[in-house]
């Protein structure tokens, strides 16, 4: 028995209460993006109705209000992840841009020919491609840390790959394709043991539990607001102050400068050095409301509820003939990737959608691990705390109908 009241929480999410294709919506695509509580929607509307103004220009009252809300959201995020200082929270467009920022700024200024970058074999393309781009420019290499058939990272293999040419170990906290929770504490420690930096892609972790970046001791931690009940197109780069301070700017423009002249330009301090141009002010303020929302719920109970949903779903999957689970690591978040034998994931996804059940199908931007498993992709049901066992039951009813149709 779990104490978390998902039925109560569902009321905070207006989108969940609609029919899709003639059936009540069952939203099981939370790893792609989570839904937004009314408080987040309202914060964005309030900003545009009452406070809309550019930030940091100190020109007038509206600008001051906008700036105050914008910076208080930064402080809220710093508290959420236990960053020592708000200036360690840099706004980006999302996880992808956060990684591109590090690869481009740190990578271009630090990497040299022969250097090695290690990423896990189950990474999202966002944590592979930016490294490949800078590696190609610098003559460095990007190598994959092996993953076994259950979707578990091979830590012994990582140990044997480490040497003093490894400059960066970049790894997901949780795999979006398989749900595997990686032992990031060990990964950070191992990276540091050879003097490498460690970037953790937290896009799939931070919506599920409280992350403590100082306890983790990672050099960078990156995530997207839209996967944690906030708006799309906004993300965070957390970094250690001394590393961020030493990094050159990523993009040039307004706000990121101290003084500009044609003789030479000097750059602003953290975090503004990395925030060129007018930011997504409404998004940041909406995200602040999402962080408030998260801080107000019992996150441990929410996590237990999600684990209950995962266990229930996986148990039902094992009892259902023809379902093959992809990703059976011992430690997983509430992601169930699977195949319905004899069918293509896309066909299954389409038939589920017709019955009001939203799942994701395809390679989940993790083509290398799909290739390793010799599959084109999976059907992925990913649960959030507003899902219920009734949602899982609807998924299996819909799968049953899909199977009758397809086989
Ligand atoms: N990394 C992981 C693990 C993800 O799940 C995602 C989103 N699917 C990303 C990176 C990219 O996030 P965004 O599209 O918000 O930049």
């Amino acid at each position: 028995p779990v104490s978390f009241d998902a039925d109560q929480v569902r009321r905070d999410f207006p989108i969940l209460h609609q029919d899709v294709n003639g059936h009540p919506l069952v939203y099981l695509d939370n790893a792609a993006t989570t839904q937004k509580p009314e408080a987040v929607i309202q914060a964005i509307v309030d900003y545009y109705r009452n406070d809309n103004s550019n930030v940091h220009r100190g020109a007038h009252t509206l600008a001051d209000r906008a700036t105050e809300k914008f910076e208080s959201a930064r402080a809220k995020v710093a508290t959420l992840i236990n960053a020592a200082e708000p200036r360690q929270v840099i706004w980006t467009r999302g996880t992808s841009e956060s990684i591109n920022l590090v690869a481009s700024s740190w990578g271009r200024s630090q990497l040299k020919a022969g250097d090695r970058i290690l990423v896990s074999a189950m990474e999202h393309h966002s944590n592979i491609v930016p490294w490949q781009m800078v590696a190609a420019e610098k003559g460095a290499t990007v190598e994959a840390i092996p993953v076994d058939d259950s979707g578990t990272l091979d830590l012994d293999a990582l140990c044997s790959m480490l040497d003093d040419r490894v400059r960066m170990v970049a790894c997901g906290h949780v795999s979006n394709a398989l749900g595997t929770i990686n032992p990031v504490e060990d990964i950070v420690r191992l990276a540091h043991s050879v003097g490498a930096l460690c970037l953790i892609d937290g896009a799939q972790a931070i919506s599920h539990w409280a992350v403590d970046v100082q306890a983790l001791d990672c050099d960078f931690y990156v995530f997207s607001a839209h996967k944690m009940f906030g708006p799309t197109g906004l993300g965070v780069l957390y970094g250690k102050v001394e590393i961020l301070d030493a990094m050159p700017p990523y993009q040039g423009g307004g706000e990121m400068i101290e003084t500009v002249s044609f003789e030479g330009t000097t750059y602003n301090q953290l975090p503004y050095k990395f925030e060129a141009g007018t930011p997504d002010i409404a998004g940041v303020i909406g995200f602040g409301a999402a962080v408030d929302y998260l801080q107000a719920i019992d996150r441990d109970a929410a996590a237990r509820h999600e684990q209950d949903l995962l266990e229930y779903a996986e148990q039902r999957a094992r009892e259902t003939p023809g379902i093959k689970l992809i990703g059976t690591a011992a430690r997983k978040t509430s992601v169930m990737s699977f195949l319905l034998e004899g069918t293509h994931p896309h066909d299954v996804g389409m038939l589920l959608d017709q019955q009001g059940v939203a799942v994701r199908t395809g390679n989940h931007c993790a083509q290398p691990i799909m290739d390793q498993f010799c599959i084109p992709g999976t059907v992925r049901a990913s649960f959030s705390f507003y899902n219920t066992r009734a949602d899982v039951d609807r998924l299996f009813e819909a799968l049953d109908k899909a199977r009758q149709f397809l086989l």
Side-chain angles (χ1 to χ4, degrees):
V2 282
S3 58
F4 191 75
D5 190 348
D7 288 322
Q8 172 73 36
V9 165
R10 288 176 74 76
R11 294 189 199 128
D12 299 332
F13 292 82
I15 203 171
L16 296 175
H17 310 283
Q18 65 174 297
D19 285 354
V20 168
N21 298 322
H23 303 270
L25 169 65
V26 172
Y27 185 77
L28 301 179
D29 194 18
N30 295 287
T33 199
T34 54
Q35 298 304 346
K36 321 306 172 199
E38 183 64 40
V40 169
I41 299 166
Q42 206 51 55
I44 295 168
V45 170
D46 280 351
Y47 164 72
Y48 279 126
R49 290 189 86 103
N50 303 314
D51 305 324
N52 176 51
S53 196
N54 213 329
V55 289
H56 301 139
R57 318 281 183 216
H60 48 78
T61 304
L62 292 192
D64 288 345
R65 285 211 302 255
T67 303
E68 198 279 313
K69 286 189 175 174
F70 182 83
E71 288 303 328
S72 92
R74 194 191 305 274
K76 285 172 191 179
V77 172
T79 303
L80 181 78
I81 61 173
N82 194 32
E85 302 175 60
R87 66 183 170 136
Q88 294 175 279
V89 171
I90 291 154
W91 301 124
T92 64
R93 284 193 302 119
T95 306
S96 303
E97 190 179 47
S98 298
I99 298 171
N100 276 281
L101 192 165
V102 176
S104 175
S105 167
W106 175 85
R108 277 185 169 154
S109 61
Q110 292 293 322
L111 290 172
K112 54 186 188 315
D115 282 349
R116 302 168 64 208
I117 298 159
L118 307 185
V119 304
S120 91
M122 67 181 116
E123 288 315 297
H124 189 280
H125 297 162
S126 288
N127 202 21
I128 300 174
V129 183
W131 302 116
Q132 287 177 326
M133 288 162 68
V134 70
E137 197 179 306
K138 291 289 168 178
T141 57
V142 178
E143 296 161 52
I145 310 161
V147 169
D148 73 14
D149 291 344
S150 73
T152 306
L153 192 74
D154 186 341
L155 265 193
D156 292 337
L158 169 58
C159 287
S160 64
M161 290 169 86
L162 289 170
D163 65 23
D164 60 10
R165 288 181 308 143
V166 176
R167 303 290 310 283
M168 170 65 75
V169 179
C171 188
H173 201 157
V174 167
S175 156
N176 67 310
L178 309 174
T180 308
I181 303 175
N182 287 315
V184 282
E185 296 81 1
D186 295 329
I187 295 165
V188 172
R189 190 174 38 77
L190 287 168
H192 288 170
S193 74
V194 289
L197 297 189
C198 190
L199 177 145
I200 303 296
D201 172 353
Q204 294 294 339
I206 193 157
S207 59
H208 299 293
W209 64 79
V211 168
D212 181 336
V213 289
Q214 291 190 80
L216 256 182
D217 197 30
C218 53
D219 301 290
F220 301 105
Y221 197 92
V222 298
F223 52 97
S224 299
H226 71 94
K227 292 183 195 282
M228 49 191 300
F229 317 102
T232 54
L234 177 72
V236 167
L237 165 64
Y238 157 84
K240 286 186 178 166
V241 168
E242 60 280 12
I243 299 171
L244 291 173
D245 259 338
M247 280 162 50
Y250 169 55
Q251 292 179 332
E255 203 62 40
M256 54 73 70
I257 52 85
E258 185 183 49
T259 62
V260 178
S261 77
F262 287 105
E263 286 68 50
T265 289
T266 56
Y267 303 124
N268 208 335
Q269 300 169 335
L270 292 177
Y272 311 112
K273 179 171 83 173
F274 294 112
E275 295 180 356
T278 299
D280 182 358
I281 304 165
V284 166
I285 291 171
F287 189 31
V291 173
D292 287 342
Y293 185 87
L294 271 177
Q295 299 282 38
I297 66 169
D298 181 342
R299 295 202 74 188
D300 291 339
R304 283 197 301 275
H305 171 66
E306 290 175 358
Q307 281 296 315
D308 174 72
L309 293 177
L310 177 69
E311 280 163 31
Y312 179 59
E314 290 196 339
Q315 183 205 328
R316 288 209 57 171
R318 285 192 204 94
E319 290 164 5
T320 307
I323 290 191
K324 181 167 188 237
L325 293 174
I326 306 292
T328 49
R331 294 182 63 220
K332 282 185 62 178
T333 54
S334 47
V335 168
M336 182 172 79
S337 243
F338 62 96
L339 294 170
L340 190 56
E341 270 159 9
T343 68
H344 194 283
H346 289 166
D347 297 333
V348 176
M350 224 176 56
L351 288 166
L352 295 186
D353 181 51
Q354 282 175 12
Q355 300 172 76
V357 178
V359 296
R360 182 75 142 207
T361 60
N363 64 34
H364 315 296
C365 299
Q367 233 175 300
I369 196 69
M370 297 292 137
D371 289 348
Q372 179 182 325
F373 291 161
C374 301
I375 54 177
T378 69
V379 183
R380 182 187 71 186
S382 50
F383 308 106
S384 185
F385 50 60
Y386 45 60
N387 291 121
T388 62
R389 280 188 173 217
D391 290 342
V392 177
D393 291 337
R394 281 277 310 281
L395 167 68
F396 281 91
E397 276 164 34
L399 277 171
D400 209 37
K401 289 222 175 85
R403 190 213 330 262
Q404 286 168 27
F405 188 84
L406 290 169
L407 294 178

